Amino acid sequence: MADITRRTQKKTAAWLEADEHIEVAVLCEPKGTYGLGMFKLALAPGAGQQSVNRTQAVQKEGQVGMVKDFPAEPCVVAVSATRFYAFPSNGLRFRRPSLVVDRNRVLVGEVSRKGFGRRMQLVFTDGSGIEVDVQYGQPIGKLIKALGSVAPIR
């Protein structure tokens, strides 16, 4: 998967401040997409995607704070000089961001290999957090450099 930072800048310009530029963007899938969920998606795409989206929704269930506004579907997380965005998106089509916070309110937690991709934990300063799947080739290193990292919260 290619770096989608430039595409994200172009497609989301209407939601950014006039002089704001996206430094890094990463396409995220709901947790479970690159593990066994991948087989569900291959065998029954519609039902498989609904199952994976439900897994993401259950992960957020009962949590309060910033994570409640994180998309329960594929999304692009993007970072500018001052903000962190979560745009519901498949990487080509972008919708209005469901979460916009100061970039210093989000850290990258544990990043591990999972199936055909990586599992990445996003940790918010209010104590909430979420795990997402990310394809290999996404600029996770740049995201960590932009946001900083923290030991995983379990």
Side-chain angles (χ1 to χ4, degrees):
M1 181 74 185
D3 186 336
I4 61 169
T5 302
R6 277 191 269 158
R7 180 184 320 145
T8 301
Q9 175 70 43
K10 181 179 174 184
K11 299 274 189 173
T12 63
W15 298 300
L16 304 177
E17 296 294 324
D19 60 346
E20 191 172 23
H21 297 283
I22 298 297
E23 295 177 6
V24 61
V26 174
L27 178 62
C28 299
E29 301 281 350
K31 178 182 175 181
T33 301
Y34 297 129
L36 292 176
M38 194 166 190
F39 296 108
K40 290 180 189 175
L41 290 170
L43 295 174
Q49 187 63 54
Q50 288 175 350
S51 172
V52 168
N53 289 353
R54 267 195 309 277
T55 300
Q56 187 86 332
V58 167
Q59 186 184 181
K60 291 173 33 175
E61 198 172 277
Q63 289 203 38
V64 295
M66 291 180 264
V67 74
K68 70 179 173 20
D69 294 326
F70 196 87
E73 60 191 287
C75 68
V76 170
V77 296
V79 180
S80 73
T82 58
R83 298 188 200 169
F84 171 91
Y85 293 91
F87 295 97
S89 174
N90 63 2
L92 298 174
R93 292 187 180 160
F94 292 77
R95 296 197 320 264
R96 177 177 299 281
S98 62
L99 176 65
V100 180
V101 296
D102 290 339
R103 83 187 251 169
N104 62 0
R105 309 261 341 252
V106 186
L107 297 165
V108 176
E110 181 178 24
V111 177
S112 59
R113 294 177 187 258
K114 191 68 175 179
F116 294 100
R118 295 190 183 275
R119 173 89 26 95
M120 178 175 70
Q121 186 180 51
L122 294 171
V123 181
F124 300 94
T125 56
D126 66 0
S128 61
I130 194 159
E131 291 181 314
V132 294
D133 286 353
V134 179
Q135 288 181 357
Y136 286 119
Q138 291 289 302
I140 295 174
K142 288 182 184 177
L143 186 67
I144 291 170
K145 188 175 181 180
L147 295 175
S149 62
V150 66
I153 297 175
R154 295 267 176 220

